[in-house]
Amino acid sequence: MAKQTDVRPIVRLRSTAGTGYTYVTRKNRRNDLDRMVLRKYDPVVRRHVEFRAAR
């Protein structure tokens, strides 16, 4: 079982293109305090867009 205060929590990245496509990844809570923003491929619009961490 994982600890409740996990250093690397699971984060859901949601596309800013409004397609609803998501990626799931882990982030290091000690190094990245704010929300994660990555530029990844969205297959619905067939281009690279920004993905932001959703709640």
Side-chain angles (χ1 to χ4, degrees):
M1 281 198 192
K3 297 184 285 185
Q4 287 187 359
T5 56
D6 197 10
V7 175
R8 290 191 170 270
I10 296 174
V11 175
R12 181 173 299 226
L13 301 172
R14 185 168 304 242
S15 173
T16 58
T19 60
Y21 192 78
T22 59
Y23 281 99
V24 177
T25 186
R26 293 180 171 269
K27 84 169 195 175
N28 190 333
R29 191 178 285 163
R30 290 181 184 155
N31 295 340
D32 302 319
L33 299 175
D34 49 352
R35 296 223 180 159
M36 185 182 281
V37 177
L38 294 176
R39 192 163 167 81
K40 295 182 76 67
Y41 183 75
D42 189 342
V44 179
V45 293
R46 297 193 315 211
R47 60 181 4 191
H48 282 83
V49 296
E50 280 191 348
F51 280 75
R52 296 184 184 268
R55 291 190 183 239

